[in-house]
Amino acid sequence: PSAGVGKEKRWSLLTISSGHYPKVKFLNHQWTASSADMFEEALAPYHPSKLGRLRSSSTTPLSADTVISNVEQFVKQSASDNCSIVVVYYVGHAVSGASGNLWLVQSDATIDSIKDAGKNSPDLKPVSENMNQLADIANVLQVKYGAAPAGMLGVEKLCEALSEGDVRFASVV
């Protein structure tokens, strides 16, 4: 018989809800935790072998660093538990950048950081088509290697953290 026959398929589920924004109160949503819980309940019949939850609230605000460190730890634990896939569900506000990058808004976001995250491009004078391409490249490099605007988590960084444990992953944002 082949090596995989009879082996239990192990997978893990991490749900993240970001709905508490003390510096931008009009963004607050109480329902995000319920949405994450409903997603978890919908997948419960498929028996995740590992379950993780991150919920933003006044007592446990989420920052980009908090989310990334928790995701990295969860993925490493999932890998050591021989999970074949990690499913991550994220619910909360997001801001789209000019080059298609997506920023997830965290508890420490401000109005200014949200505006910065959605900025169309770096302040470059368009001299030719190549300058527009350069602006797009600069946006992508900013997401991957630059400092994120305060309170923002680039989906690129989230995916990078998910790849740390050499476990396949699916991300629902």
Side-chain angles (χ1 to χ4, degrees):
S2 65
V5 175
K7 274 193 155 182
E8 178 185 3
K9 297 286 183 183
R10 298 178 58 83
W11 69 283
S12 58
L13 173 63
L14 174 62
T15 56
I16 305 169
S17 72
S18 182
H20 177 71
Y21 311 95
K23 297 175 186 170
V24 195
K25 292 188 186 295
F26 66 88
L27 292 180
N28 287 349
H29 287 302
Q30 300 304 316
W31 59 265
T32 57
S34 298
S35 175
D37 293 342
M38 285 182 1
F39 189 86
E40 189 177 296
E41 289 170 20
L43 294 182
Y46 301 101
H47 310 289
S49 52
K50 181 166 191 52
L51 187 60
R53 293 181 187 103
L54 284 174
R55 303 291 186 263
S56 177
S57 70
S58 59
T59 55
T60 57
L62 293 181
S63 68
D65 290 340
T66 301
V67 172
I68 291 298
S69 66
N70 277 276
V71 166
E72 287 173 346
Q73 180 180 2
F74 187 79
V75 167
K76 286 176 185 171
Q77 290 172 348
S78 296
S80 70
D81 289 347
N82 295 317
C83 291
S84 60
I85 190 166
V86 174
V87 176
V88 177
Y89 175 75
Y90 178 92
V91 59
H93 290 287
V95 177
S96 181
S99 58
N101 51 323
L102 188 62
W103 298 100
L104 305 177
V105 182
Q106 301 304 304
S107 295
D108 50 346
T110 64
I111 290 286
D112 289 337
S113 66
I114 291 170
K115 287 179 185 176
D116 288 345
K119 200 174 189 181
N120 284 340
S121 64
D123 297 326
L124 299 174
K125 306 244 185 259
V127 176
S128 68
E129 271 184 43
N130 290 341
M131 290 304 286
N132 289 333
Q133 291 172 343
L134 179 61
D136 289 344
I137 291 169
N139 281 333
V140 171
L141 291 172
Q142 172 63 29
V143 171
K144 186 149 179 83
Y145 301 109
M152 298 292 129
L153 171 59
V155 170
E156 174 88 17
K157 296 264 186 197
L158 178 63
C159 290
E160 196 175 286
L162 284 165
S163 359
E164 287 291 315
D166 292 328
V167 177
R168 291 179 292 167
F169 65 89
S171 179
V172 181
V173 175

